[in-house]
Amino acid sequence: MNRTGFVVALHLLFLSSGCETGLSPLNEPSGFRGVIRFKNWPPADSVRELRIVAFESFPSDSAGIIATLLSGRAAVYPPLDKRLPRFVDSLEYEFTTKQGLNLQLKNYEYVIVALQYGPNVLTDWRPAAVYATMLGAFDPAPVRVLLHRIAPNINIQVDFRNLPPR
């Protein structure tokens, strides 16, 4: 191999080894994904809506949840013009900065599936499940949203006969 060929090969090796994601766009989404598994669905009139809510910290009381959402210390998925399907066995989801409402790059200490059980959209909510390292547990595990990364395996188990404490 001549000197010019060697230099070109060395440059190509150098350039290809430094690109982890190739020429991907700089605005790739950040967030997390997983599977929600459901069991023991209650009657249809007691499950009006389901949402994933990621809280920066554990909410001290339900009265401050709206203020927490408005201040950016919590994020909601899916966007308000869409809904999570009900009465399914499982559901794959991807909660990202492009799809969620107010998801930011930070640690979320309390991620839940929220259940609207009554007609009042502002007050009739409760946790249906909590993201924990052990499925079905109620001890919340944090989720960290990193720049241009989608954290996998944020799986949540919803058992409507064994709901977490409010």
Side-chain angles (χ1 to χ4, degrees):
M1 178 185 284
N2 65 22
R3 183 166 160 49
T4 305
F6 177 77
V7 171
V8 170
L10 186 61
H11 280 300
L12 289 174
L13 179 65
F14 176 76
L15 290 174
S16 68
S17 67
C19 296
E20 190 175 308
T21 58
L23 298 174
S24 62
L26 294 176
N27 60 353
E28 286 188 25
S30 304
F32 55 94
R33 76 169 69 110
V35 176
I36 304 171
R37 290 183 175 78
F38 300 94
K39 61 183 187 179
N40 300 315
W41 281 97
D45 63 347
S46 60
V47 180
R48 296 188 173 240
E49 193 168 343
L50 295 167
R51 300 248 175 217
I52 300 171
V53 184
F55 291 93
E56 190 176 305
S57 59
F58 190 83
S60 58
D61 64 14
S62 60
I65 289 178
I66 298 297
T68 301
L69 290 167
L70 293 175
S71 70
R73 293 177 290 146
V76 178
Y77 173 84
L80 298 178
D81 62 338
K82 297 184 175 147
R83 293 179 166 216
L84 290 177
R86 298 176 303 152
F87 306 103
V88 296
D89 292 332
S90 65
L91 163 68
E92 290 185 24
Y93 74 92
E94 186 171 88
F95 190 170
T96 69
T97 50
K98 289 188 177 192
Q99 299 167 316
L101 179 65
N102 210 25
L103 189 66
Q104 299 173 22
L105 304 177
K106 60 173 70 175
N107 284 339
Y108 290 96
E109 298 296 323
Y110 186 60
V111 177
I112 65 168
V113 173
L115 161 68
Q116 182 186 357
Y117 58 86
N120 190 328
V121 72
L122 296 176
T123 60
D124 294 346
W125 291 89
R126 66 162 296 149
V130 175
Y131 170 66
T133 52
M134 289 181 32
L135 286 179
F138 299 136
D139 297 323
V143 174
R144 186 172 190 169
V145 178
L146 299 172
L147 183 64
H148 305 309
R149 301 274 190 254
I150 308 268
N153 302 320
I154 306 301
N155 302 321
I156 303 171
Q157 176 79 42
V158 178
D159 182 352
F160 288 100
R161 290 189 191 150
N162 187 26
L163 296 175
R166 291 183 185 224

